[in-house]
Amino acid sequence: MDIQTSEGTVLREQLTFLLELQKIDEKLEDSEQERADLPEKLRAIKEDVGRIERILEQERQQLAEARSYKAAREAEIAEDQELLAKAKHKMSAVRSSKEYLAVQREFEANRRHTSEREDEIGKLVEAIRQFEQSIKTHEEALAAMKSDVAAEEQATARRIEEIEGAVSAERGEREELAGRLRRDVLSKYNNIRRRRKGVAVVPLGEGGVCRGCNMRLPPQLYNIIQRAATIEQCPNCHRIVYFEAAEDLGEATEATD
Ligand SMILES: [Zn+2]
């Protein structure tokens, strides 16, 4: 085994570690994304709760107004009754037909006024019935939503715990792998990941095309990469590129595809 071959073996192993590291980083990213998205569903349900609470508040206010309006109309009718009693009393003391007509008019006006109030009360009774029904429906919906919120909060808390467990295991795996990587290779990888905000190690496609940016690599560089004796980067996007057919990378590359 000459120096070149053993160096090549080391680099191929490093590349395998890099690909594993990349897989773990992708999992970590997914976990963190899911963790960040979790409160969103809860926020949407809580918004619905707030909306129903506002509707209920408005309906309760309308109900109170309708009830007080109805009470006022009822008081007016009671007043009419009193006036009517007084008019009837007057009637017994009537002497002339002129007086009689005046009291008759009073009766008539009183009757009309009472009848109008009764119509209003009828409408208010219907409005009150509708408000009460709507309030009941909204109260039931609200209770169901609040129990949804409670269930969702529990589910979210459970899922967060699961994710945190997975993340901590993945971080442990990452640390172990990072320890097996050469310092320069690791820092190159970390820099690319930071800069590209994503995949840092990509296989070459047919004819030496970088699968990160789709640029065709110069043939000379392609030849070097095929020998898999060095860790090379795409001159365009700077991602680490590797030749997929390298037999001892077989397993790792299949899994990343
Ligand atoms: Zn590229």
Side-chain angles (χ1 to χ4, degrees), residues 54-70:
R54 280 192 298 278
I55 291 174
L56 263 173
E57 196 186 321
Q58 203 181 14
E59 283 175 339
R60 286 185 183 126
Q61 201 182 328
Q62 285 170 319
L63 176 63
E65 276 167 17
R67 278 176 176 158
S68 100
Y69 210 62
K70 180 173 164 269

Side-chain angles (χ1 to χ4, degrees), residues 183-196:
R183 214 171 261 274
D184 62 321
V185 174
L186 180 63
S187 95
K188 196 178 276 184
Y189 167 86
N190 284 338
N191 284 337
I192 300 167
R193 250 192 102 76
R194 237 191 327 273
R195 259 204 320 273
R196 309 300 317 189

